[in-house]
Amino acid sequence: MASLKIMFNNKVIQEIDLNKEIMKIGRKPDNEIQIDNLAVSSHHAVIKTILNDSFLEDNNSTNGTYINGSLIKKQVLRDGDIIRIGKHDITYINPEATTPSSNEFEKTMIIRPDTAGMPSNEGSAAIDASVSKLAKEIASADSGNQVSSATAKVKLLNGANSGKVLPLTKILTTLGKPGVQVAAITKRPGGYFLIHIDGGENEGRPKVNDTEIGSQAHPLKNNDVIDVAGVQMLFLLG
């Protein structure tokens, strides 16, 4: 399990396991990771963990969030990274964390079905690095097993691109609207699955047939109706 070592004036003051999917960092006591210092904003940043990897996102803090001396807005964490929040240095410890690889982008595709023209990125660094790392984790878990030979696509049922059909040609395809709700459809040996990636606090998780999916990968069946960020899609096998 990944952990954080929090230091102040070169002394370790706290060690915390990242044992929740989302852990907020800030000065107020309602944060999972509280740093009681005026240089730290009330709700300064958040760490989100997907499978074996975590990424850090600044929450429009007053003094900013830094990784290895560079100001960041959102970035995947690697073992040994030094996070600077206020006057505190926080070391991210996770020897099993993967490193983003350009090869992983070749296995992923991101689609914005809510946008006219439905732009997509393939093999682009514009894809959030956490998605690339998720693809790598899935590929590692499925190593030695033959990926399902079934082909699939989704048909958009509402929004700017209603009626359009999107073939699912990659191991992992992300769907949704960044900052609102993002999900991924992944092709694995057991078939196709829907995974919740990210979402606003009030958005909840994506839905399949009007029911929110859980924290685990949700198996998809022919004619399932997927709802991500208010955009409905019909999942079609074959």
Side-chain angles (χ1 to χ4, degrees):
M1 179 185 298
S3 63
L4 301 177
K5 183 167 65 176
I6 303 175
M7 301 184 68
F8 184 73
N9 288 336
N10 295 320
K11 294 182 179 179
V12 177
I13 62 171
Q14 198 173 7
E15 294 188 32
I16 297 175
D17 289 333
L18 296 180
N19 54 13
K20 294 182 180 180
E21 182 179 341
I22 297 177
M23 297 186 72
K24 294 175 289 185
I25 305 172
R27 191 176 70 252
K28 289 191 173 182
D30 61 344
N31 293 280
E32 285 79 11
I33 304 169
Q34 184 188 14
I35 303 177
D36 190 8
N37 187 287
L38 291 177
V40 180
S41 295
S42 298
H43 299 97
H44 196 106
V46 63
I47 291 181
K48 300 179 182 180
T49 301
I50 300 174
L51 297 177
N52 196 47
D53 293 299
S54 308
F55 61 90
L56 177 68
E57 183 173 1
D58 181 77
N59 194 30
N60 296 317
S61 63
T62 300
N63 293 320
T65 300
Y66 295 79
I67 295 179
N68 303 326
S70 297
L71 182 67
I72 63 97
K73 177 59 181 175
K74 183 176 182 180
Q75 185 170 312
V76 170
L77 292 170
R78 288 179 284 188
D79 184 42
D81 276 349
I82 305 297
I83 303 163
R84 181 77 173 183
I85 290 181
K87 299 179 180 179
H88 290 69
D89 287 324
I90 305 171
T91 303
Y92 176 72
I93 302 170
N94 185 3
E96 298 182 1
T98 51
T99 302
S101 165
S102 59
N103 291 334
E104 296 310 311
F105 290 123
E106 297 174 2
K107 301 176 183 177
T108 67
M109 174 169 60
I110 188 165
I111 298 171
R112 287 285 306 277
D114 63 307
T115 304
M118 212 163 43
S120 65
N121 279 324
E122 295 186 33
S124 168
I127 300 174
D128 190 279
S130 65
V131 175
S132 174
K133 299 184 81 164
L134 175 58
K136 187 171 184 177
E137 190 76 14
I138 289 170
S140 176
D142 293 341
S143 179
N145 298 316
Q146 184 175 359
V147 175
S148 173
S149 60
T151 59
K153 54 195 173 186
V154 290
K155 181 179 180 180
L156 301 182
L157 301 178
N158 65 346
N161 299 284
S162 179
K164 290 191 177 181
V165 175
L166 310 174
L168 301 176
T169 60
K170 301 294 182 179
I171 289 177
L172 188 142
T173 301
T174 58
L175 301 158
K177 185 177 181 180
V180 178
Q181 193 177 72
V182 179
I185 297 176
T186 177
K187 184 177 183 180
R188 308 189 67 174
Y192 286 82
F193 296 81
L194 183 69
I195 303 172
H196 174 67
I197 297 292
D198 192 16
E201 292 184 1
N202 300 320
E203 293 298 325
R205 295 178 179 272
K207 296 179 181 179
V208 175
N209 301 326
D210 291 326
T211 300
E212 279 194 12
I213 66 173
S215 59
Q216 303 298 315
H218 183 92
L220 292 172
K221 302 186 298 294
N222 190 40
N223 290 318
D224 275 349
V225 176
I226 302 167
D227 189 321
V228 181
V231 177
Q232 293 185 332
M233 294 157 265
L234 182 66
F235 176 76
L236 299 169
L237 275 173

